[in-house]
C-alpha cells in the first residue's frame, strides 16, 4: 500500500492519530514538548469491562518565551476515537480583570473571530488559588480555546487530520495576535 493511500484511510486507533496531529502541528512551527499515554482498565457500573487509552500532547513554539501552549487530548474507547486541540493561555490574576463576565465575553468574541465556525469550539476559563490561604485577587487565570476533532476528519484519514491540526495552529496564532487577548495575557 502506498503512503498516499494510507493517508486517506480512516484513523481507527490512537497511534496514527497522534502521528498525524504531531505532523500537522510541527509543520507549522509548533514543537512537541511532552507526550503522555495512559491505559485504564478498572471501571465499574456501565463502563465495567471496558478499557480506554488516552494520549496527552503538549506543544510550544521554539525560541519563544510566552505563556501559551497547544495541548492535545485524545481518547480511544470501544466507542471510537475522540479528542480536542486546545490553545492554553496563562492570563493575568483575577484581581487584574475588571469583571469575569466581560472577560469571558471578550474571549468568546476573539474565538468566534478566528476559529472556524464549522467546528465545535468550547472555551474554558478558570482561576485557581495556589493555596487556600492565597488572596482571591491573586488567583491565577487560564483560558483554553478548544477545537473538537470531528469524526469526519478521522474518517478521511491522516492527511485530513494533519491539515486540521495545521489550520487550527494557524487560527490559534491569529487569535494570539488579538489585542483583547494580549491585554489579559501574563507577560503582556
Amino acid at each position: 500500500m502506498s503512503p498516499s493511500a494510507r493517508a486517506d484511510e480512516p484513523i481507527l486507533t490512537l497511534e496514527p492519530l497522534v502521528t498525524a496531529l504531531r505532523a500537522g502541528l510541527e509543520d507549522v512551527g509548533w514543537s512537541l514538548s511532552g507526550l503522555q499515554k495512559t491505559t485504564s482498565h478498572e471501571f465499574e457500573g456501565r463502563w465495567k469491562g471496558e478499557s480506554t487509552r488516552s494520549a496527552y500532547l503538549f506543544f510550544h513554539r521554539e525560541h519563544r518565551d510566552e505563556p501559551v501552549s497547544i495541548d492535545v487530548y485524545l481518547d480511544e474507547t470501544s466507542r471510537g476515537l475522540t479528542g480536542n486541540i486546545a490553545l492554553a493561555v496563562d492570563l493575568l490574576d483575577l484581581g487584574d480583570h475588571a469583571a469575569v463576565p466581560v472577560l469571558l465575553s471578550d474571549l468568546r468574541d476573539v474565538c468566534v473571530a478566528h476559529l472556524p465556525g464549522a467546528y465545535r469550539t468550547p472555551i474554558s476559563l478558570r482561576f485557581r488559588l495556589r493555596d487556600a490561604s492565597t488572596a482571591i485577587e491573586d488567583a491565577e487565570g487560564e483560558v483554553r480555546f478548544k477545537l473538537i476533532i470531528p469524526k469526519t476528519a478521522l474518517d478521511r484519514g491522516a492527511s485530513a487530520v494533519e491539515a486540521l491540526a495545521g489550520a487550527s495552529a494557524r487560527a490559534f496564532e491569529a487569535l494570539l495576535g488579538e489585542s483583547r487577548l494580549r491585554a489579559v495575557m501574563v507577560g503582556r
Side-chain angles (χ1 to χ4, degrees):
M1 196 176 284
S2 72
S4 60
R6 282 189 297 241
D8 295 329
E9 291 181 2
I11 296 177
L12 303 174
T13 60
L14 200 58
E15 286 73 16
L17 181 54
V18 167
T19 300
L21 286 164
R22 183 175 178 180
L25 291 168
E26 288 178 342
D27 282 351
V28 294
W30 289 80
S31 298
L32 183 69
S33 52
L35 169 62
Q36 175 184 353
K37 291 183 183 178
T38 62
T39 301
S40 301
H41 299 285
E42 295 184 33
F43 294 101
E44 295 299 327
R46 74 180 199 137
W47 292 99
K48 188 170 186 160
E50 295 285 329
S51 67
T52 65
R53 295 186 325 131
S54 301
Y56 303 88
L57 294 85
F58 306 96
F59 295 85
H60 290 84
R61 295 190 284 191
E62 287 285 328
H63 311 296
R64 292 194 181 192
D65 183 28
E66 56 189 359
V68 301
S69 65
I70 291 180
D71 299 350
V72 177
Y73 170 73
L74 307 171
D75 203 22
E76 177 187 325
T77 70
S78 59
R79 296 179 182 178
L81 292 171
T82 60
N84 68 69
I85 306 167
L87 176 69
V89 181
D90 291 339
L91 301 178
L92 298 172
D93 292 350
L94 180 60
D96 295 323
H97 300 285
V100 172
V102 172
L103 172 63
L104 188 55
S105 177
D106 284 346
L107 295 171
R108 180 200 57 208
D109 292 347
V110 167
C111 181
V112 167
H114 294 285
L115 294 186
Y119 301 104
R120 284 189 39 228
T121 54
I123 301 169
S124 299
L125 175 63
R126 71 178 184 178
F127 289 95
R128 64 187 166 276
L129 298 173
R130 287 180 291 266
D131 184 73
S133 64
T134 303
I136 297 300
E137 62 271 8
D138 293 334
E140 299 168 333
E142 179 190 72
V143 63
R144 287 179 177 267
F145 300 96
K146 297 179 183 181
L147 187 140
I148 305 300
I149 300 167
K151 183 170 178 357
T152 55
L154 300 172
D155 290 343
R156 291 193 344 243
S159 59
V161 171
E162 281 184 43
L164 176 67
S168 297
R170 287 189 293 277
F172 290 153
E173 288 168 359
L175 196 145
L176 286 169
E178 278 277 345
S179 59
R180 288 180 290 177
L181 178 57
R182 297 209 69 76
V184 296
M185 288 173 56
V186 167
R188 55 186 166 148

